[in-house]
Amino acid sequence: NAGVTQTPKFQVLKTGQSMTLQCAQDMNHNSMYWYRQDPGMGLRLIYYSASEGTTDKGEVPNGYNVSRLNKREFSLRLESAAPSQTSVYFCASRGQGGLYEQYFGPGTRLTVT
Amino acid sequence: GENVEQHPSTLSVQEGDSAVIKCTYSDSASNYFPWYKQELGKRPQLIIDIRSNVGEKKDQRIAVTLNKTAKHFSLHITETQPEDSAVYFCAPNTGFQKLVFGTGTRLLVSP
């Protein structure tokens, strides 16, 4: 049982390049989330998916798109990376039926130059 | 939406002292009150949570207390140890999909 996994662990992009961050969970959770965490800051919600086939914007969605590929996988895409998107990105999932704990992946450290 | 504040933003204690971190929130519908711990370079992990039908919960050296009337809840750590050094986040919510995390409290425990 791997929990929540993310790839890649590290990435360096040039301004204007695109990339997709991958996230998968093996806990049969309905809900999945993408957060960004800037140095010394809290977690800010980018997008979330309450169930397969649905996605909703969070606090800071501009510059990002997401895809809930199936129940296990939730990807985050940067179409044209900007230095302001330099951050650590965490994926998380949460169970249903009153199980409110969020389980986080190990994070992707992204630098945009 | 939920407005969440944590205090203090940094807290330095000596090993063996107690530490208390407070989280205030605005949404009176919130009914789930978790605390997450994030060690340097690691992912956040749940350390303790409480639901609104309970006023206090303890797990060894950590405890959470809830005051729903005043809309705040607190994390208490007793007999602090250097391995308690981390950033702590609260995330009060209604159990529905969106979570808003507090800005975090950096706890430093000196030997």
Side-chain angles (χ1 to χ4, degrees):
Chain A
N1 190 341
V4 181
T5 57
Q6 291 182 237
T7 55
K9 285 188 168 51
F10 302 94
Q11 184 71 49
V12 179
L13 292 177
K14 293 189 188 319
T15 297
Q17 287 185 318
S18 62
M19 79 160 296
T20 299
L21 281 64
Q22 306 287 353
C23 174
Q25 51 92 9
D26 62 1
M27 295 175 282
N28 200 36
H29 286 167
N30 280 347
S31 305
M32 297 186 72
Y33 307 80
W34 277 106
Y35 295 91
R36 63 176 287 173
Q37 185 175 38
D38 300 325
M41 302 285 286
L43 295 150
R44 291 187 293 170
L45 182 65
I46 305 171
Y47 272 94
Y48 67 100
S49 171
S51 61
E52 188 178 350
T54 68
T55 61
D56 282 290
K57 294 179 181 179
E59 183 186 354
V60 289
N62 291 345
Y64 305 94
N65 285 302
V66 290
S67 295
R68 183 75 183 265
L69 304 169
N70 48 54
K71 191 168 186 178
R72 289 188 64 246
E73 298 171 289
F74 188 37
S75 63
L76 178 72
R77 183 160 177 84
L78 287 71
E79 290 292 350
S80 178
S84 60
Q85 294 178 305
T86 293
S87 191
V88 179
Y89 291 84
F90 287 101
C91 177
S93 70
R94 187 163 75 164
Q96 55 276 353
L99 301 175
Y100 300 154
E101 178 180 357
Q102 282 207 339
Y103 295 85
F104 287 84
T108 294
R109 188 173 297 273
L110 175 67
T111 302
V112 183
T113 61
Chain B
E2 181 80 275
N3 187 26
V4 181
E5 292 188 1
Q6 273 183 245
H7 294 282
S9 56
T10 58
L11 181 57
S12 293
V13 300
Q14 292 291 122
E15 183 175 359
D17 287 349
S18 294
V20 181
I21 303 168
K22 185 176 179 180
C23 181
T24 60
Y25 60 95
S26 60
D27 189 349
S28 56
S30 292
N31 60 0
Y32 176 63
F33 306 93
W35 285 97
Y36 288 82
K37 175 183 180 182
Q38 186 178 28
E39 297 175 1
L40 191 62
K42 301 283 183 66
R43 73 190 81 184
Q45 290 190 293
L46 181 76
I47 55 170
I48 195 166
D49 57 12
I50 195 170
R51 287 178 169 77
S52 60
N53 57 346
V54 177
E56 180 175 356
K57 182 178 177 180
K58 281 188 84 169
D59 182 2
Q60 299 182 354
R61 294 186 300 107
I62 61 172
V64 55
T65 57
L66 172 64
N67 184 330
K68 279 212 82 179
T69 304
K71 290 190 277 189
H72 65 74
F73 63 111
S74 297
L75 175 68
H76 305 254
I77 306 175
T78 58
E79 300 171 33
T80 54
Q81 300 167 4
E83 53 264 37
D84 294 328
S85 295
V87 179
Y88 293 82
F89 294 99
C90 63
N93 65 94
T94 63
F96 291 103
Q97 300 309 318
K98 274 193 182 180
L99 291 190
V100 176
F101 282 79
T103 49
T105 296
R106 185 173 301 277
L107 174 65
L108 177 61
V109 182
S110 303

